[in-house]
Amino acid sequence: MPVVAVIGGQWGDEGKGKIVDVLAEKAQVVMRFSGGNNAGHTVVNDKGEFRLHLVPSGIFHPQTRCLIGNGVVIDPAALLEEMDALGSRGVAVDNLFISPRSHVVMPYHILLDALEEKARGSAAIGTTGKGIGPAFADKVARLGIRTTDLVDKEAFLARLRLILELKNRLIVQMYGGSPLSLEEIYQSYCHYGERLSPHIEDTDVMVQEAVAKGEAILLEGAQGTMLDLDFGTYPYVTSSSPGCVAGGAAGGTGLGPTQIDHVVGVLKAYTTRVGGGPMPTELEDEVGERIRERGKEYGATTGRARRCGWFDAVVAAYSARVNGFTATAITRLDVLDSFPEVKICVAYQVDGAVYRRPPNSLALWYKAQPICETMSGWQTATSHIRRLEDLPPAALAYIKRLEALVGCPVAMVSVGAAREQIIVINHLL
Ligand code: GDP
Ligand code: IMO
Ligand code: MG
């Protein structure tokens, strides 16, 4: 049985949670490999509507083991809250396992996230404020605290004392803030460690064993390609290391790249972005507003209004290449149901030149003007449709055009938030 990575092909919020929930019906393992609780993955199924931030979206299928891999940064308070909330709604979390190598988001990460954003002024990134950037920066700077450290209390105290002294110097001397208390952090994080310890397991070993048994495994991406540190619109990206591209699915799990059989790119039928940074197809007019209202485009983690625009095939084709997509899942087709015409950006105009690939520099990104193709809208409801051939001809033509421009076969088309609102062309698992 295959190992399938599910990757965001735009700026996040493509509907990865929904696609993972659908695919997880046939999976034995679902594993997160990057990011942290900056992610907000919405799943709508017979148990209700859920917003998952750290718990993998396979949790609703009792047969799946849900793993949080070494590449994820974990805010233990947020994770425990999420686990408790799931439990109170009748979703068991006994099958949830956390890598001891995963890094921990500490209170000073959250504080520094806010202080750094403030210091950036008008160049603020618009982070989710969850401490993700500072936590990954510490991981890379070798100043991180890992989940395994929380359970060895003596070693934890020594490490925390060393690191907190450095952090408090930064907070007080650089930002004029108030120092954080060693005792308070130590006590609360020891308590989190105790509560999480039954879930701490070598997830890299678990996933390798699953591969050896031929089980079906889903690797659940967070964020999206254009938020990747290397391939995104730097510096308006997320700091996850491993990155949020398919390559990160190896580094963040303990699998080798050759063990990943399929890479599914999740793409919204249009484009959205939350936070700052360039977005060439953004529509700051009534069309953009209509997409936002019809699509209820407000962030699953912060509630912020998402910026909306037409499908950007320059971005999507680039994502297909840097991730090696073997298939795509197009989501939210239904949101475009009422539009008389739909547009697709096929190239950018930058300083009089035509770009078919994304530029590298931020200055050029900001100058990129979309060159669009216009197609007729279908102005017919699609949410009830379950077979590709039953789509209105204009909607089918739109999907086929996206497929040609992205250069990768469409495996699924999602026509609503609920689990059953999906057209499956290729089952993948
Ligand atoms: P993720 O971060 O990639 O998992 O995506 P989010 O959950 O942040 O945002 C996707 C939103 O679209 C959620 O509110 C989903 O419930 C919703 N959604 C997913 N697929 C569809 C779809 O095909 N149609 C509609 N209307 N909503 C969808
Ligand atoms: P999912 O997994 C959309 C964005 C933030 C900000 C930038 C950096 O739900 O698709 P961070 O807090 O990570 O330092 O913020 O990245 N961002 C996301 N946007 N979906 C996400 O995750 C995101 N995670 C981070 O809005 O612009
Ligand atoms: Mg999201």
Side-chain angles (χ1 to χ4, degrees), residues 23-287:
L23 288 171
E25 189 187 353
K26 295 202 185 128
Q28 280 80 49
V29 173
V30 180
M31 186 167 192
R32 274 277 306 268
F33 61 83
S34 67
N37 61 325
N38 49 348
H41 295 182
T42 314
V43 173
V44 182
N45 56 33
D46 48 2
K47 294 195 166 75
E49 178 171 335
F50 298 84
R51 286 193 182 143
L52 301 169
H53 301 289
L54 283 162
V55 174
S57 302
I59 198 74
F60 305 98
H61 297 279
Q63 89 287 354
T64 61
R65 298 192 294 293
C66 286
L67 315 184
I68 302 181
N70 54 281
V72 178
V73 291
I74 297 178
D75 177 334
L79 176 58
L80 286 162
E81 192 183 318
E82 196 171 325
M83 289 162 67
D84 290 344
L86 285 165
S88 71
R89 293 177 69 184
V91 181
V93 290
D94 316 344
N95 268 350
L96 179 69
F97 300 97
I98 307 160
S99 169
R101 296 171 191 263
S102 58
H103 280 243
V104 180
V105 177
M106 304 296 291
Y108 44 81
H109 293 138
I110 298 170
L111 178 59
L112 285 166
D113 196 351
L115 293 170
E116 287 168 6
E117 276 288 81
K118 199 164 161 223
R120 285 184 198 109
S122 62
I125 291 166
T127 73
T128 59
K130 304 291 182 188
I132 305 302
F136 277 113
D138 273 356
K139 173 180 179 179
V140 177
R142 295 159 295 184
L143 284 174
I145 288 176
R146 301 191 299 169
T147 301
T148 187
D149 298 330
L150 299 183
V151 289
D152 179 348
K153 290 185 183 169
E154 235 171 88
F156 173 47
L157 182 60
R159 185 144 178 86
L160 181 62
R161 180 174 285 123
L162 170 86
I163 295 170
L164 189 63
E165 203 194 315
L166 296 173
K167 296 296 166 188
N168 273 339
R169 255 195 260 165
L170 195 62
I171 290 165
V172 175
Q173 292 171 17
M174 171 121 177
Y175 293 108
S178 311
L180 299 178
S181 148
L182 174 70
E183 189 55 26
E184 274 175 34
I185 300 178
Y186 177 66
Q187 290 303 340
S188 54
Y189 276 67
C190 282
H191 171 69
Y192 299 146
E194 279 164 23
R195 282 203 59 200
L196 288 176
S197 64
H199 297 271
I200 302 174
E201 289 280 348
D202 288 325
T203 54
D204 50 328
V205 175
M206 291 177 80
V207 75
Q208 286 292 355
E209 284 173 357
V211 171
K213 279 194 259 170
E215 293 186 334
I217 299 165
L218 288 173
L219 308 178
E220 177 175 355
Q223 289 79 52
T225 304
M226 302 316 290
L227 291 171
D228 181 77
L229 260 180
D230 286 275
F231 296 103
T233 44
Y234 192 88
Y236 292 92
V237 294
T238 189
S239 302
S240 185
S241 172
C244 34
V245 289
T253 57
L255 289 172
T258 54
Q259 292 177 301
I260 301 172
D261 302 291
H262 298 293
V263 180
V264 181
V266 186
L267 297 166
K268 260 184 204 179
Y270 47 93
T271 308
T272 63
R273 171 164 206 172
V274 205
M279 176 182 162
T281 64
E282 181 173 14
L283 294 165
E284 290 175 285
D285 58 9
E286 67 282 2
V287 180

